[in-house]
Amino acid sequence: MNRIDQKFSELREKKQPAFIPFITIGDPDLRTSIDIIHTLEEAGAAMVELGVPYSDPLADGPVIQASSMRALRNNRISILDCIEVAKQARSEGSKLPFILFTYFNPVLQTGLDHVFPLLKEADISGLIIPDLPMEEDAELRAIAADYGIHLIPLVAPTSKERVQRIASRAGGFVYCVSSLGVTGTRTEFHTGIDEFLATVKASTDLPIAIGFGISNREQFVRFSTVCDGIVVGSALVRKIEEALPQLADPATRPDGLQSIRAYVEALIS
Ligand SMILES: O=P(O)(O)OC[C@@H](O)[C@@H](O)c1c[nH]c2ccccc12
């Protein structure tokens, strides 16, 4: 059974939402990303989105764009490096379901036939490719299914009539984007967000998760009543950015990791 499915059914039993953090792999470096993955797991993350840094993150706001640039500037992170990070974290005992988050170009450049065996070998359970529209995902969806890897679709409040079609082909869970525009913390969400979430929920038996803009406990609680999962990216990436000086020095590294853990624990428990 796919780790994502397993985790959602465990959490459903406990009537708990899945906290799904997003981090940019390689920001500030690969080893620190592995330590952050372990820290997120200790803090209560249900699964983790491992972001492949990309030079043209068109769907990302300033925080994640800066994070991608740091990762690429520090050490030219490739999609293969990110897959390796997942493999290493697993070999160090992580039980988290891993979701590789990547724009389509790095997958295309590496080649589907090359990427999928590596994803499988690294025990990666899901894939999110924000710039791969449903109309063009047939080949990738078929290969993902062969490897038992969920291709997790994004649905936006404007996806109205497409929601049904997108949800009917989804795997793992349906990622509901809370607002139009790019990633980044928000105080307001798309008007009609609750109706949108109800529409998605009615169109699939899969769990639904919400992302874009969530940063505080009040928002986490609000969306936990409707969604099975809550994704937090920018707010967490910002915390990592603030902790960079501590993470850079072995003497203060534990404090840096602790500040990340404290943020997550305050958010979800
Ligand atoms: O950063 P936010 O506002 O918390 O949103 C989650 C988001 O970071 C993560 O899921 C993600 C990172 N890059 C993306 C691009 C498109 C859709 C989603 C994403």
Side-chain angles (χ1 to χ4, degrees):
M1 188 185 194
N2 184 298
R3 285 180 185 263
I4 292 172
D5 304 332
Q6 215 166 330
K7 178 56 78 174
F8 271 118
S9 56
E10 276 168 30
L11 290 171
R12 198 175 302 119
E13 291 285 306
K14 294 190 261 182
K15 295 192 177 5
Q16 276 177 8
F19 170 60
I20 308 172
F22 166 94
I23 59 169
T24 304
I25 299 301
D27 177 27
D29 58 63
L30 296 175
R31 180 64 243 173
T32 304
S33 291
I34 296 169
D35 293 339
I36 291 172
I37 290 167
H38 292 316
T39 299
L40 291 170
E41 184 163 11
E42 288 155 13
M47 51 195 85
V48 60
E49 284 185 18
L50 306 177
V52 176
Y54 185 49
S55 53
D56 184 20
L58 48 93
D60 279 300
V63 170
I64 291 181
Q65 283 191 23
S67 174
S68 291
M69 293 324 289
R70 280 194 300 272
L72 292 171
R73 188 179 56 235
N74 296 351
N75 27 36
R76 298 216 53 69
I77 306 289
S78 73
I79 185 170
L80 303 183
D81 294 321
C82 298
I83 294 171
E84 207 47 46
V85 160
K87 203 168 162 184
Q88 183 60 29
R90 183 74 76 225
S91 72
E92 292 176 3
S94 175
K95 299 275 179 291
L96 285 179
F98 295 137
I99 300 165
L100 193 77
F101 182 100
T102 178
Y103 286 89
F104 190 44
N105 188 271
V107 176
L108 211 54
Q109 294 305 318
T110 311
L112 297 184
D113 297 337
H114 187 49
V115 166
F116 276 92
L118 295 174
L119 292 174
K120 193 70 189 166
E121 194 194 333
D123 189 11
I124 288 173
S125 307
L127 202 50
I128 297 180
I129 307 179
D131 58 344
L132 177 63
M134 168 181 64
E135 294 73 11
E136 293 162 44
D137 75 0
E139 185 194 1
L140 196 136
R141 225 155 36 85
I143 295 181
D146 288 348
Y147 282 90
I149 293 170
H150 287 319
L151 182 59
I152 298 155
L154 299 170
V155 287
T158 47
S159 308
K160 287 266 178 298
E161 66 294 336
R162 283 159 51 91
V163 166
Q164 192 68 41
R165 283 174 60 214
I166 294 171
S168 65
R169 323 137 66 107
F173 60 92
V174 178
Y175 186 140
C176 304
V177 171
S178 74
S179 330
L180 304 183
V182 295
T183 58
T185 54
R186 286 159 163 85
T187 50
E188 297 295 317
F189 297 97
H190 186 73
T191 49
I193 179 81
D194 294 316
E195 289 73 29
F196 165 58
L197 293 172
T199 305
V200 180
K201 206 146 182 67
S203 60
T204 179
D205 292 335
L206 288 174
I208 69 168
I210 185 164
F212 273 49
I214 298 161
S215 61
N216 62 48
R217 174 123 190 91
E218 184 249 332
Q219 293 167 336
F220 183 85
V221 170
R222 170 194 171 181
F223 289 119
S224 301
T225 55
V226 190
C227 300
D228 306 289
I230 316 275
V231 179
V232 174
S234 299
L236 175 63
V237 170
R238 185 88 187 83
K239 281 283 167 236
I240 292 169
E241 185 179 2
E242 287 163 7
L244 288 179
Q246 291 174 309
L247 293 169
D249 175 352
T252 55
R253 192 180 184 71
D255 304 335
L257 293 172
Q258 179 49 36
S259 69
I260 294 164
R261 178 172 181 158
Y263 170 71
V264 170
E265 287 175 340
L267 183 66
I268 67 174
S269 48

